[in-house]
Amino acid sequence: MTKTNDFADFVRNLRLKLEISQENLARILGVSLRTISRWELGQSQPDHELKDRLIRLKELIDILATKMESEVMLQWLISPNEQLHYYAPNNLLNSDYDLKVLLDLFS
């Protein structure tokens, strides 16, 4: 299997674990629906920064999946949160520090 196919499977499996549409994954990551579709088809890959966001999102979802239902998780990811100074959690996937802040909410 090529790296492109591995990545396509990674994105598809992440989305299916969340039980969300390509459109909602695009919304979480701040990219277009077409971008998610192309990633899942193996037609393109994101830049390094977006790959890191996807990896952080997976880490967060692995923990959230034990704490809340998929529908609740999606809403939580995209809604401003008082504990995060009214940032939406999906906007805090840019660095390992921000991911730690998110993970600390559930420890």
Side-chain angles (χ1 to χ4, degrees), residues 1-12:
M1 187 177 283
T2 66
K3 280 188 169 189
T4 300
N5 288 338
D6 289 344
F7 181 75
D9 290 341
F10 174 81
V11 173
R12 187 177 311 103

Side-chain angles (χ1 to χ4, degrees), residues 17-69:
K17 184 172 186 170
L18 265 172
E19 299 177 15
I20 60 172
S21 65
Q22 288 180 337
E23 182 178 6
N24 282 329
L25 182 57
R27 190 170 166 197
I28 290 169
L29 294 172
V31 298
S32 71
L33 169 61
R34 180 178 172 94
T35 297
I36 298 296
S37 177
R38 293 184 71 205
W39 290 350
E40 286 191 9
L41 292 171
Q43 295 175 345
S44 70
Q45 289 196 16
D47 62 23
H48 182 71
E49 184 178 311
L50 272 171
K51 278 186 182 179
D52 287 347
R53 282 179 58 95
L54 277 162
I55 291 166
R56 289 184 191 105
L57 178 61
K58 183 192 179 306
E59 288 178 49
L60 182 59
I61 287 168
D62 286 344
I63 290 173
L64 292 179
T66 66
K67 310 279 184 193
M68 58 182 76
E69 300 286 326

Side-chain angles (χ1 to χ4, degrees), residues 55-96:
I55 291 166
R56 289 184 191 105
L57 178 61
K58 183 192 179 306
E59 288 178 49
L60 182 59
I61 287 168
D62 286 344
I63 290 173
L64 292 179
T66 66
K67 310 279 184 193
M68 58 182 76
E69 300 286 326
S70 295
E71 292 173 11
V72 175
M73 190 184 323
L74 173 62
Q75 194 59 39
W76 185 84
L77 282 167
I78 62 175
S79 299
N81 186 304
E82 184 177 353
Q83 292 175 299
L84 301 171
H85 304 285
Y86 296 97
Y87 284 101
N90 66 316
N91 293 326
L92 297 176
L93 295 171
N94 295 326
S95 74
D96 289 334

